[in-house]
Amino acid sequence: MATVSPSQPWTYTLELPHDPRSPGVARLALRAVLDSHGMGEIAETATLLASELVTNAYVHTKGPCSLRLRGRQGERVRVTVWDTSPVLPSERRGEADREDGRGLWLVRECADDWGNSTCHREGKSLWFELMCPVGKPACGECAVLGAAQRRAVDEGGRRRAVDATDAVRRHVRDVHHVPADADTDGEW
């Protein structure tokens, strides 16, 4: 006999220290939660986007951050990352060698919905939502590239991790029909 209704809303919150391992911890926790709620088909995209936001929190702030997951079984999940800075990140595409400004662009391109909110002295929250696909197969290459990116980040080596992240972004742009002129704009 089930003790919880499958459509029951659920929420998880993970407090993360200002530590370079926080993006990896966030990915593991997010994947475990999504798998346990039958939402494994969106785990690759969710972990990629959450990793981008948690990494931004680590790189651009000096304080802790938190990851909050809210969802309904088999429907939609909202992932929110809070950090201590009230400054919203820029949404821009830099030159090929630049590492900054592309994470939020990736969130915008891959999420079903996204947004932000600021609390003047208490930081900001960036969030995205993903829907579980119904009758739509997941992109196998996204899964392979995402796994390679996680391995590169987890095993260290900044250049290798950047190259793997760029491969994911190129795939999203080229295969999932991001406009060709997205690379030429300095800011969004």
Side-chain angles (χ1 to χ4, degrees):
M1 175 179 199
T3 58
V4 178
S5 167
S7 63
Q8 181 70 30
W10 46 265
T11 302
Y12 296 86
T13 302
L14 177 63
E15 302 293 329
L16 297 160
H18 187 259
D19 185 290
R21 295 169 289 207
S22 290
V25 171
R27 283 192 308 271
L28 289 171
L30 178 54
R31 180 172 295 283
V33 168
L34 292 175
D35 286 345
S36 71
H37 286 281
M39 300 177 89
E41 63 269 17
I42 62 171
E44 291 297 327
T45 303
T47 56
L48 171 67
L49 301 182
S51 183
E52 291 283 347
L53 297 182
V54 173
T55 298
N56 281 349
Y58 171 72
V59 170
H60 298 292
T61 72
K62 297 190 184 307
C65 69
S66 65
L67 176 75
R68 183 174 185 191
L69 315 171
R70 288 187 302 154
R72 287 178 102 32
Q73 180 89 12
E75 293 177 14
R76 179 180 290 266
V77 65
R78 177 179 281 207
V79 178
T80 304
V81 175
W82 170 87
D83 67 45
T84 58
S85 171
V87 178
L88 293 172
S90 62
E91 184 186 345
R92 62 184 163 170
R93 294 275 308 195
E95 297 84 41
D97 293 341
R98 290 186 63 171
E99 299 171 30
D100 65 326
R102 293 181 287 181
L104 194 56
W105 173 83
L106 192 59
V107 169
R108 187 186 72 162
E109 292 302 318
C110 296
D112 292 312
D113 196 9
W114 71 280
N116 62 66
S117 63
T118 59
C119 295
H120 180 60
R121 295 182 198 193
E122 298 183 25
K124 69 175 165 303
S125 295
L126 297 167
W127 58 268
F128 63 87
E129 289 185 348
L130 296 172
M131 289 285 294
C132 281
V134 177
K136 177 181 171 186
C139 176
E141 192 170 351
C142 282
V144 170
L145 289 170
Q149 180 197 33
R150 284 193 310 282
R151 278 193 308 277
V153 169
D154 292 343
E155 293 170 4
R158 183 176 175 88
R159 185 73 245 163
R160 197 166 149 225
V162 168
D163 289 344
T165 300
D166 285 343
V168 170
R169 291 172 176 159
R170 275 191 308 276
H171 169 75
V172 169
R173 181 193 65 220
D174 296 344
V175 175
H176 300 289
H177 309 292
V178 174
D181 64 345
D183 286 338
T184 61
D185 291 343
E187 287 201 301
W188 288 61

